[in-house]
Amino acid sequence: MTQLDLKHKRMGISQWLIDLWILVRIQYANVREQWLLIIILASLFPLTTLMLLHFFVENPTNDMVLRIVTGNMVFALIITGINLLAQDLSWQKHRGHFVFYATLPISKVSFICANLIKGMITSFPSFMILAVIGETIYDLEWNFHWFVIPLIFLSILSIVGFGVFIGFWSPSPQVTNIVLPSLMMFLGFLTPVLIDGEQLPKILYWISLVFPTTYVAEGLREVLTNGLTKGVLIDSSILVGFTVVSYFLILKNIKWRIE
């Protein structure tokens, strides 16, 4: 590779980063005035579930407490990273906002990355709020292994990627508004997020394996209990696979214009 090729490559990367920064600011501007409200509302439902279980479950075991707290942390990600983000993208898509982006000299990759970053920014606060409140209420002693940081990042990215895909795929806002609340309830209460997988019917357990939330919940519980184990590495690898697959599915399904 010649010096000229290297120079062009560096200029291309620099321009891509500039485009990404501008797109992230545009996406954030869409929720800037409602950002605090989104965090509060996204935290309210899992917080209510957390408090309800705290009042009604007497003398819970340590394993049960950890499942309740981490499950509601994942529930917060489901609300922000899947439900709210997919609804917002579906609304933008069918109101013709993507036509505006089509007029800009940007790539679809930049646009996808900007939405992923926006989803992570809006999802992280609710996730941490539930972690702090859950730790305080149940007086938990976390096992803060260093791997919990990349696992949290990977968990949010995989769930946000799933939400972005639904938003781009959505055939209409009406379908989105019907599918997402049902999906949110299913992922929260009928998969191994709040419930032990052994307590679920076999059919529900096998269905839950196709959603990243199952591996997020399992990975968080394992790393906060036993540190970095083989199970945590397996869950993390699966989440990497979910992230990569969702990215390519998004790239394949994104269309600037709709019929």
Side-chain angles (χ1 to χ4, degrees):
M1 185 178 293
T2 65
Q3 291 186 349
L4 183 61
D5 292 334
L6 289 173
K7 183 178 180 180
H8 287 164
K9 184 177 180 179
R10 286 195 295 267
M11 290 178 62
I13 295 174
S14 299
Q15 186 60 48
W16 183 84
L17 291 174
I18 293 173
D19 293 342
L20 180 63
W21 171 243
I22 294 173
L23 288 171
V24 169
R25 293 179 63 185
I26 292 174
Q27 291 300 313
Y28 178 72
N30 293 330
V31 297
R32 180 178 56 192
E33 296 180 356
Q34 302 173 343
W35 188 69
L36 183 59
L37 180 62
I38 290 173
I39 293 175
I40 294 174
L41 293 178
S43 305
L44 187 60
F45 192 86
L47 178 60
T48 303
T49 307
L50 183 68
M51 297 299 294
L52 181 67
L53 294 174
H54 175 66
F55 294 144
F56 282 92
V57 178
E58 297 183 0
N59 301 320
T61 63
N62 290 333
D63 182 66
M64 188 181 298
V65 168
L66 187 63
R67 182 174 295 277
I68 290 172
V69 176
T70 55
N72 280 283
M73 290 163 60
V74 177
F75 206 165
L77 292 182
I78 293 172
I79 294 174
T80 52
I82 296 179
N83 193 46
L84 296 180
L85 183 59
Q87 285 183 342
D88 180 55
L89 282 171
S90 177
W91 180 82
Q92 291 188 55
K93 173 183 176 182
H94 294 281
R95 291 291 293 270
H97 289 198
F98 287 4
V99 177
F100 164 73
Y101 295 109
T103 64
L104 302 177
I106 60 172
S107 65
K108 291 182 178 181
V109 174
S110 300
F111 185 62
I112 293 171
C113 291
N115 279 280
L116 291 174
I117 292 172
K118 184 188 76 170
M120 295 181 68
I121 292 173
T122 55
S123 299
F124 183 74
S126 299
F127 180 83
M128 294 308 300
I129 288 171
L130 268 296
V132 172
I133 294 177
E135 181 184 17
T136 303
I137 291 176
Y138 287 100
D139 194 24
L140 280 173
E141 293 184 2
W142 301 108
N143 178 18
F144 281 106
H145 190 278
W146 66 268
F147 194 76
V148 74
I149 297 176
L151 180 59
I152 290 174
F153 174 82
L154 186 58
S155 300
I156 296 175
L157 184 60
S158 61
I159 292 178
V160 166
F162 186 64
V164 171
F165 167 70
I166 294 176
F168 283 130
W169 162 83
S170 169
S172 70
Q174 291 78 13
V175 172
T176 306
N177 292 333
I178 293 173
V179 170
L180 287 177
S182 303
L183 182 62
M184 183 179 70
M185 293 295 102
F186 175 80
L187 293 177
F189 298 108
L190 295 178
T191 64
V193 172
L194 286 169
I195 303 174
D196 190 343
E198 296 180 354
Q199 296 177 298
L200 291 171
K202 289 295 183 180
I203 183 64
L204 290 179
Y205 178 76
W206 286 108
I207 292 175
S208 71
L209 297 181
V210 303
F211 297 102
T213 49
T214 299
Y215 306 97
V216 171
E218 290 180 354
L220 285 175
R221 282 192 292 269
E222 182 68 16
V223 76
L224 291 172
T225 303
N226 301 314
L228 184 58
T229 63
K230 182 179 179 180
V232 174
L233 292 176
I234 292 174
D235 289 330
S236 300
S237 301
I238 295 174
L239 291 177
V240 171
F242 269 108
T243 303
V244 173
V245 170
S246 63
Y247 172 83
F248 282 106
L249 288 176
I250 293 167
L251 191 60
K252 183 178 180 180
N253 284 273
I254 182 174
K255 296 180 181 178
W256 294 126
R257 294 175 177 85
I258 60 175
E259 296 298 332

